[in-house]
Amino acid sequence: PPRSTLFPYTTLFRSLAGEWKFSFKKFLYDGNTDKIPRKMYTKWFDYDKIKDSLAIRNRRKGDYFVLDAAGHHKKLEDYFVNEKIPASHRDEQLLLAGEDEIFWIVGGRMAYGTGISDATRWVLEITASNSSH
């Protein structure tokens, strides 16, 4: 959703993988790390670290995500190979992205540096669901 979006916000996304519903909530972080969801399809992001408007999309040439504090990048294609995601499913994989940088491989990992930290003020909670999840 664009930065000017009012929360909560819900949108539908149709892809090769079917119809998905994405729900976005924004709230003040109280510092309690025990509340951070440990679910595949619900993630908390530091709202202030996601600078531009977000896109839900499929992969594009050149996509990458940040691996660690040193800023090392991993190409999305390499991630798919390492995780043994069949080539036939790679075009169906949904991504939460800004420009070429991937913030979340939906159902998989988040990019380093986009999650909750001691400095987090606002949380953006994103939940993805479809008929099979």
Side-chain angles (χ1 to χ4, degrees):
R3 278 287 199 183
S4 61
T5 297
L6 296 175
F7 293 95
Y9 176 81
T10 301
T11 188
L12 294 178
F13 185 88
R14 289 178 182 82
S15 74
L16 297 172
E19 185 172 278
W20 285 75
K21 181 172 100 174
F22 284 83
S23 299
F24 300 82
K25 294 178 190 166
K26 180 184 166 192
F27 54 90
L28 275 171
Y29 181 52
D30 64 9
N32 186 345
T33 58
D34 292 337
K35 292 181 181 178
I36 299 173
R38 310 276 189 247
K39 299 176 182 175
M40 289 176 61
Y41 294 95
T42 298
K43 298 293 181 190
W44 280 13
F45 295 86
D46 185 322
Y47 183 75
D48 294 317
K49 291 179 184 173
I50 300 176
K51 297 170 186 60
D52 301 318
S53 59
L54 301 173
I56 300 164
R57 61 174 177 79
N58 299 106
R59 69 178 175 162
R60 293 182 190 153
K61 187 171 178 59
D63 278 342
Y64 69 90
F65 61 94
V66 178
L67 277 176
D68 55 30
H72 294 110
H73 294 163
K74 185 172 199 86
K75 291 180 182 176
L76 185 62
E77 185 64 28
D78 293 342
Y79 171 84
F80 286 157
V81 170
N82 292 346
E83 295 296 314
K84 298 178 175 49
I85 295 173
S88 60
H89 293 154
R90 294 175 191 171
D91 286 335
E92 299 173 8
Q93 177 64 56
L94 295 181
L95 307 167
L96 180 75
E99 298 299 322
D100 292 334
E101 184 178 356
I102 304 303
F103 298 126
W104 180 29
I105 300 164
V106 177
R109 74 175 286 167
M110 291 171 53
Y112 180 85
T114 59
I116 305 305
S117 72
D118 292 341
T120 299
R121 203 165 147 249
W122 288 96
V123 171
L124 179 62
E125 179 184 87
I126 303 175
T127 301
S129 60
N130 73 8
S131 55
S132 65
H133 296 111

